[in-house]
Amino acid sequence: MAEWFKAAVLKTARPSGPRRFESYSLRHPLVPIAVVLAALLFYACSLAPGTLWGDPGKLQRAAWLLDLQLLETSHPVWVALMHPIVHLPGAEPAWLGNAGSALLSSLALWPAFRIMRRLGATSTASVTACLALAVSHTYWLHAVVTEVYALNSLVALLLLDRLTASVLEGRPPSRGGWLLLGLAAGVFSANHLLVACWIPGFAWLAARGADAGRRRQAHLAAAGGLLAGLLPMAAARLAAGLPSSAMLLADHMARSLRLEGALADVSLAAACLIYQFPIPLVIGAALAGLTRLPSRVRGPILLLYGASVLLPLRYDVKDRFAFFLPSYLLIAVVAAPGLDRILAWIQSRLAGAAGPAASCLALLAVAAPPVVYDGVARRLPGLALSRVDAIRQLPGRDKARYHLYPGKRGETSAGLFAQAALAAVGPGAVLLADFTVWAPLSYLHDVERRRPDVRLVHADAAWHLDLALRAAAEGREVFVAAVDVHPEGSPLRARFELVPIGPIHKAVLRPAGSGDTFPAGPIPAPPG
């Protein structure tokens, strides 16, 4: 093995002519297969076993029910593609949703490996960079829970693979191929903004990769496919009175022009990047690899990276860290040729050290991050993160470890809470739940059909008082799934006494004042 490492490094260190990158064909077809299988095995060992809090739980329910909503956070294309997967026999739908993310994240390493090789990296460096990406925090985290980001990564890297082949290998698609590329970019951009932010970089690559004699036809075909992919979702959203994905993207980009809070946002992005690759080797290799990129793709890749950072930089949501994921894909891709440069530098100064050096670099890049995440997650609960009020403490969940350690093996807190909560609710009662706790409750209630007699109402805390008064007017018992959203002195506590019953609370109406009235009409279904 050491001789193979040494041969790879010496090949990289040789001077080469202007057509150097064409000499790196995509050989060793079993190598990317081994990378995909290794990642899949790693994710299988750290996979979440069932339903989860928040977005993953919501998506597990939506995939089972084929709930194709048009909201920005509903991702109907992902739901449609995942629907047959969660209906496979022999396994729990929630686990199948988690396993689907593991499969998609593993498969995304295939085009990543191809791109790295095409950019001039050896197989050794490409394998190391792929596995470093696989064990990085945000990529790993979203590979073991039900989320849309794994599909985003696979689609974005497949498109980048094909476009770089067109530019660097002189293999432009046919007119029909350009149409399909544009269509795929449009469909998945309509499904999630993270794919949409790569469209300018893709357009630049397409302009450089089109055959000179048919460039106009290629551009028209790609643009037509893009519009065909974007328009159905945009038309449906506008008909429903909702903004299109393009309008949302423009709004998010416009926010980035404001300077208020910019320093804090940049600091957050830097902290996320450092934690993503806690061993500086990968980031350093990316900087080194940037100087080795072919000039024809360096500008487009920098544009892709800039857009991937700019979008989430001012996107004010609690899980903003996940929106930086596309930028990490590009760092890993560029780090592969950079690793070769580092190994060549070592070889030039320490003859015969290429093999041991490559082994050490691979261990640092791949084996060290999981150890770092585990160590930080074990030692930080007494420090800052556990005291951050914006990160919610949920029943049975260590909020520091949940967010700092990507692996989710044994993470059963959401399912256990939902089971106990539904068991504690009285017959025919109304159970009010905000989004985070509603997600696992709705999975058990709507997918597993537990307690169909209970009226589960998804509503923000601001709606709970009105809904509780309506339920009381109908003579129904009222339960609240989580009371941390109702601090002392809140409107709901002023009218109801919250009595603990299992993991939830029963809302008992206090004696009414002389001027009190109940809202009229049935319990509405408020927006979540």
Side-chain angles (χ1 to χ4, degrees):
M1 183 63 71
E3 290 301 319
W4 179 47
F5 286 153
K6 181 177 179 180
V9 173
L10 289 176
K11 180 178 180 179
T12 306
R14 288 195 198 106
S16 53
R19 309 271 307 198
R20 175 170 63 91
F21 290 94
E22 293 184 6
S23 66
Y24 288 85
S25 62
L26 302 179
R27 296 189 299 267
H28 310 295
L30 294 182
V31 173
I33 295 175
V35 170
V36 170
L37 293 178
L40 187 59
L41 178 62
F42 177 74
Y43 295 146
C45 293
S46 55
L47 197 68
T51 191
L52 295 155
W53 307 98
D55 282 342
K58 178 199 75 170
L59 291 171
Q60 289 166 342
R61 171 187 176 275
W64 175 265
L65 299 176
L66 195 60
D67 187 6
L68 300 174
Q69 298 184 34
L70 298 176
L71 299 175
E72 181 185 3
T73 57
S74 297
H75 316 300
V77 176
W78 178 93
V79 171
L81 292 175
M82 195 60 63
H83 179 69
I85 293 178
V86 300
H87 278 268
L88 292 173
E92 181 187 356
W95 182 89
L96 288 170
N98 300 334
S101 291
L103 178 61
L104 293 173
S105 295
S106 301
L107 290 175
L109 299 178
W110 183 296
F113 179 88
R114 291 171 55 86
I115 298 166
M116 294 170 187
R117 293 283 286 145
R118 191 172 290 115
L119 295 180
T122 61
S123 290
T124 304
S126 299
V127 168
T128 301
C130 280
L131 294 180
L133 175 63
V135 302
S136 60
H137 175 269
T138 305
Y139 196 91
W140 176 10
L141 173 63
H142 293 99
V144 295
V145 300
T146 304
E147 263 293 1
V148 70
Y149 300 108
L151 178 62
N152 291 347
S153 298
L154 175 60
V155 171
L157 288 170
L158 284 172
L159 291 171
L160 184 58
D161 177 32
R162 188 63 189 90
L163 289 169
T164 54
S166 176
V167 175
L168 296 178
E169 298 177 359
R171 296 190 293 112
S174 63
R175 185 165 55 183
W178 283 115
L179 179 67
L180 290 176
L181 285 175
L183 183 64
V187 168
F188 288 97
S189 295
N191 183 63
H192 202 286
L193 290 176
L194 290 186
V195 181
C197 73
W198 277 27
I199 288 180
F202 284 156
W204 193 352
L205 285 170
R208 291 192 165 179
D211 181 72
R214 294 179 295 177
R215 187 164 292 165
R216 181 183 179 86
Q217 295 178 353
H219 292 169
L220 288 175
L226 180 65
L227 289 175
L230 289 172
L231 283 177
M233 182 70 70
R237 287 176 63 89
L238 291 174
L242 301 170
S244 67
S245 296
M247 295 170 62
L248 291 170
L249 181 61
D251 177 64
H252 294 320
M253 289 299 186
R255 293 181 199 174
S256 66
L257 301 177
R258 297 182 303 200
L259 296 180
E260 182 181 359
L263 181 59
D265 290 339
V266 170
S267 300
L268 172 65
C272 289
L273 174 59
I274 293 171
Y275 199 68
Q276 181 74 12
F277 300 108
I279 307 303
L281 170 64
V282 176
I283 299 176
L287 293 174
L290 187 62
T291 64
R292 297 197 55 189
L293 293 182
S295 59
R296 288 177 61 80
V297 298
R298 185 182 295 121
I301 287 179
L302 286 173
L303 178 59
L304 290 172
Y305 181 79
S308 300
V309 173
L310 186 61
L311 172 63
L313 196 62
R314 313 307 303 275
Y315 190 44
D316 190 15
V317 291
K318 288 184 178 180
D319 61 345
R320 192 190 337 182
F321 73 94
F323 280 63
F324 289 105
L325 180 55
S327 67
Y328 305 146
L329 305 179
L330 295 167
I331 287 176
V333 163
V334 176
L339 287 171
D340 279 326
R341 184 171 183 180
I342 292 173
L343 289 171
W345 181 85
I346 294 173
Q347 174 66 20
S348 67
R349 283 156 178 77
L350 300 172
S359 299
C360 291
L361 292 182
L363 284 173
L364 282 173
V366 180
V371 177
V372 172
Y373 299 141
D374 183 66
V376 172
R378 289 178 185 275
R379 289 166 176 77
L380 203 61
L383 300 176
L385 186 60
S386 62
R387 300 174 185 173
V388 176
D389 293 335
I391 303 177
R392 191 171 180 182
Q393 184 64 56
L394 295 168
R397 189 184 83 172
D398 181 338
K399 70 178 183 179
R401 183 166 185 82
Y402 186 89
H403 288 91
L404 292 173
Y405 185 73
K408 293 294 172 279
R409 181 171 183 169
E411 176 48 54
T412 59
S413 61
L416 293 175
F417 163 79
Q419 293 175 26
L422 290 176
V425 176
V430 172
L431 177 58
L432 305 177
D434 62 274
F435 171 72
T436 303
V437 295
W438 167 85
L441 287 168
S442 67
Y443 176 83
L444 265 65
H445 185 266
D446 299 336
V447 176
E448 297 187 359
R449 305 303 299 167
R450 300 197 188 189
R451 297 299 307 272
D453 61 300
V454 173
R455 172 77 185 276
L456 177 62
V457 181
H458 169 205
D460 290 335
W463 287 76
H464 286 185
L465 175 59
D466 182 73
L467 294 168
L469 289 172
R470 291 175 186 272
E474 295 179 6
R476 289 173 176 252
E477 288 185 312
V478 183
F479 293 82
V480 180
V483 295
D484 60 324
V485 295
H486 296 291
E488 293 295 334
S490 65
L492 181 69
R493 287 183 181 269
R495 291 293 285 116
F496 288 85
E497 179 183 0
L498 301 181
V499 181
I501 299 181
I504 61 175
H505 287 70
K506 183 177 181 179
V508 180
L509 188 65
R510 300 182 187 275
S514 58
D516 288 342
T517 59
F518 288 104
I523 302 173

